[in-house]
Amino acid sequence: MRCPFCAHDDTQVKDSRPTEDNASIRRRRQCSSCGARFTTFERVQLREVVVVKSGDRREPFERAKLEQSIALASRKRGIDQERLDQLISGIQRQVETSGEAEVPSSHIGELVMEGLRQIDSVAYIRFASVYRDFSEARDFEEFAHTVQQAAKD
């Protein structure tokens, strides 16, 4: 594993342990050149999945993009990182085990929205505003109203 600080190729694993949800292994590493310590995560990748975007563009599924979009929607919401990691791992697992080589980005977006809806309504609305391309304040109002109605039911 290459050191992220000095780019030296030789690092040593100092500690390994499974994460809380047993979906990955957390490894503490130390660079033999500069002595810096850092953490890596090892996850199982079941298959290569291609995401079909709008306009029929295709790109490989990247967990990091999913993490980034969920982190942005849930920023400053006080949501436990472990809970978000479980959501991300669950979505990744669903995508990889679907049996399909190509998955529409809209399907992934719906999985994220469903997961965020169960965790935090503000994060859910934030994600929906980008995913559904809200263009004016009325869009937010209408969507927030449907979220409130669903919470009452």
Side-chain angles (χ1 to χ4, degrees):
M1 171 74 48
R2 178 174 286 138
C3 174
F5 302 102
C6 72
H8 188 69
D9 284 333
D10 188 25
T11 60
Q12 296 176 343
V13 175
K14 295 297 183 181
D15 180 46
S16 289
R17 64 180 69 173
T19 57
E20 291 290 325
D21 62 357
N22 285 324
S24 61
I25 296 177
R26 176 185 184 271
R27 300 194 193 281
R28 287 292 294 158
R29 297 179 175 267
Q30 184 171 7
C31 177
S32 59
S33 176
C34 70
R37 288 183 174 244
F38 58 98
T39 302
T40 60
F41 291 88
E42 182 180 312
R43 291 181 174 80
V44 172
Q45 183 173 347
L46 298 173
R47 64 176 12 192
E48 292 291 324
V49 176
V50 174
V51 178
V52 181
K53 311 269 270 177
S54 62
D56 279 343
R57 289 180 308 133
R58 287 168 167 69
E59 60 184 55
F61 174 80
E62 294 180 38
R63 180 186 172 97
K65 283 188 174 185
L66 183 61
E67 289 171 338
Q68 183 180 1
S69 63
I70 290 174
L72 188 59
S74 58
R75 195 170 136 228
K76 295 184 180 181
R77 291 299 304 151
I79 303 169
D80 185 37
Q81 185 60 46
E82 184 179 318
R83 195 157 182 208
L84 294 176
D85 288 342
Q86 288 175 349
L87 170 64
I88 293 163
S89 292
I91 292 169
Q92 181 179 11
R93 204 172 306 115
Q94 283 181 304
V95 168
E96 290 178 347
T97 60
S98 69
E100 301 295 325
E102 294 185 343
V103 176
S105 61
S106 59
H107 177 66
I108 296 171
E110 292 297 327
L111 292 173
V112 172
M113 284 186 49
E114 178 60 28
L116 287 176
R117 184 182 66 76
Q118 294 175 12
I119 293 173
D120 184 84
S121 61
V122 173
Y124 172 55
I125 292 170
R126 284 179 179 169
F127 185 85
S129 72
V130 174
Y131 174 68
R132 294 208 174 143
D133 196 24
F134 291 179
S135 58
E136 54 188 61
R138 180 181 302 151
D139 297 336
F140 280 97
E141 291 173 11
E142 290 172 0
F143 192 76
H145 181 69
T146 61
V147 170
Q148 286 176 332
Q149 289 298 90
K152 288 179 183 176
D153 297 340

